[in-house]
Amino acid sequence: MARGSGLALPSPWILMLAAVIGHAAAQNQCVCPTNKMTVCDERDPSGRCQCRVLGSNQAVNCSTLTSKCLLLKARMRASHSGRALVRPSEHALLDNDGLYDPDCDQQGRFKARQCNQTSVCWCVNSVGVRRTDKGDLSLQCDEVVRTYHILIDLRHRPDAPAFNHSDLDAELRQLFQQRYLLQPKFVRAVHYEHPTIQIELRQNSSQKVAGEVDIGDAAYYFERDVKGESLFLGPRDLNLRVGGQPLVLEQMLVYYLDEKPPQFSMKRLTSGLIAVIVVVVVAVVAGVAVLVITNRRKSGKYKKVEIKELGEIRQ
């Protein structure tokens, strides 16, 4: 009895021992906390943990965000497996082409021309959004035009009470700095008009220093978080609170503004817009026709009057 009681450890000690062992295992575990779509091992010559992203097998730095181009390739691999709001610029682009398999350069950035591994190609900006009409393999894309301004337009639940704008601003700025490692100076403004929230990110080519997080990558991580498809490893779901109240985000749109205007022809116009243009043209033509006919009728009356008056004079 005495020996048995001597070997038994009190339950608090068992829990503490398990916690220490678990913490040590986590420290030694080779994983990528900023990108769950990676394969990691310790085959690096120095014995350090090295992680490569799925799809491209390119080594990534897990102390910062992975580029959007590499993330899209990884997702393709996985799928096969009370203030005035801002109006988007007329040149702002929406990513309407959805998911595709991109070509990335050695730094993990988008190449200027994308073909989705097919013979249909188009030119993209620095965040991989199409900015020209689609063509064939002969299409030439001279440069990757930088996206310097991103407008994130989203809503919280309409039935939620209005948040204090200053508190909301501070919470979202802190989110982009701490979770997405984006420098505070690149969060230009946070606009709010219940229930719509708009976040403006700005980052010119001259402002971005090597090694800093790109606004395009930060916006993409945020977009996946809002849609419930977090790219971070482990249980790191988006959990926002403003003034003690939960902030649930939904209905997100992202507008991209490039340093140069996009190059689209009339072929890009939607059928609805084309129909409106046709109706306007028909209305204008009809109006001109009515005006011409009216003028002719008036002119005919004047001639008849003149002829009648001339006849009376001759009599």
Side-chain angles (χ1 to χ4, degrees):
M1 294 293 293
R3 179 178 299 179
S5 60
L7 292 175
L9 292 175
S11 57
W13 287 100
I14 295 177
L15 294 176
M16 184 178 295
L17 181 60
V20 171
I21 294 175
H23 177 73
Q27 292 293 323
N28 295 328
Q29 190 177 12
C30 185
V31 295
C32 186
T34 58
N35 187 355
K36 64 182 180 183
M37 294 187 291
T38 54
V39 176
C40 305
D41 57 42
E42 297 179 358
R43 296 178 184 176
D44 186 271
S46 63
R48 294 176 300 178
C49 177
Q50 186 180 65
C51 298
R52 295 183 177 274
V53 66
L54 297 175
S56 63
N57 199 36
Q58 187 164 330
V60 293
N61 180 4
C62 293
S63 65
T64 187
L65 304 187
T66 303
S67 70
K68 181 182 176 181
C69 189
L70 294 179
L71 291 172
L72 283 182
K73 286 193 74 69
R75 287 187 63 203
M76 286 294 296
R77 169 70 179 272
S79 64
H80 291 165
S81 68
R83 294 194 176 189
L85 300 177
V86 176
R87 184 175 183 177
S89 166
E90 60 178 338
H91 296 306
L93 300 171
L94 272 172
D95 191 359
N96 293 321
D97 292 312
L99 185 64
Y100 67 93
D101 190 357
D103 291 322
C104 312
D105 62 18
Q106 293 298 320
Q107 288 72 44
R109 301 300 174 187
F110 290 97
K111 291 184 177 180
R113 192 184 74 168
Q114 298 293 330
C115 301
N116 196 25
Q117 314 304 319
T118 67
S119 60
V120 179
C121 303
W122 59 92
C123 302
V124 300
N125 56 20
S126 60
V127 295
V129 177
R130 181 163 64 93
R131 50 177 281 108
T132 66
D133 293 322
K134 293 184 178 181
D136 55 25
L137 293 173
S138 65
L139 178 67
Q140 297 294 320
C141 303
D142 298 330
E143 62 177 332
V144 179
V145 179
R146 177 163 181 77
T147 298
Y148 77 96
H149 186 190
I150 297 178
L151 175 63
I152 303 173
D153 187 290
L154 67 165
R155 294 185 177 186
H156 62 68
R157 290 181 177 175
D159 56 349
F163 294 97
N164 178 275
H165 182 257
S166 298
D167 294 342
L168 179 65
D169 183 290
E171 179 66 24
L172 291 176
R173 288 178 183 273
Q174 180 178 323
L175 172 72
F176 273 85
Q177 181 180 4
Q178 296 184 358
R179 186 176 179 89
Y180 308 118
L181 309 178
L182 186 67
Q183 292 292 330
K185 61 183 178 181
F186 298 135
V187 182
R188 175 69 177 270
V190 176
H191 309 277
Y192 180 51
E193 186 175 283
H194 183 280
T196 302
I197 303 170
Q198 291 181 329
I199 307 169
E200 284 191 83
L201 307 179
R202 279 181 179 264
Q203 186 184 59
N204 297 326
S205 301
S206 58
Q207 293 176 313
K208 188 177 183 302
V209 179
E212 285 184 334
V213 170
D214 190 277
I215 59 172
D217 298 335
Y220 189 66
Y221 267 76
F222 179 59
E223 180 182 0
R224 305 322 305 171
D225 276 341
V226 171
K227 293 182 177 180
E229 302 171 356
S230 178
L231 296 165
F232 292 103
L233 181 68
R236 295 188 61 183
D237 294 337
L238 199 61
N239 184 18
L240 298 175
R241 302 186 74 84
V242 178
Q245 299 299 318
L247 173 63
V248 181
L249 301 173
E250 55 189 16
Q251 298 184 25
M252 179 173 174
L253 289 174
V254 184
Y255 297 90
Y256 305 94
L257 188 60
D258 299 341
E259 292 181 342
K260 295 182 179 180
Q263 300 173 341
F264 288 107
S265 66
M266 289 292 290
K267 293 186 295 183
R268 185 174 183 254
L269 295 176
T270 63
S271 58
L273 182 55
I274 292 175
V276 171
I277 293 175
V278 170
V279 170
V280 171
V281 171
V282 170
V284 171
V285 171
V288 171
V290 170
L291 182 61
V292 170
I293 293 172
T294 303
N295 287 337
R296 285 183 176 179
R297 287 180 177 177
K298 289 181 179 179
S299 178
K301 289 180 179 179
Y302 294 151
K303 288 181 179 179
K304 290 179 181 179
V305 171
E306 290 174 357
I307 294 172
K308 183 178 179 181
E309 291 176 349
L310 183 60
E312 291 177 352
I313 293 173
R314 288 178 178 175
Q315 289 178 359

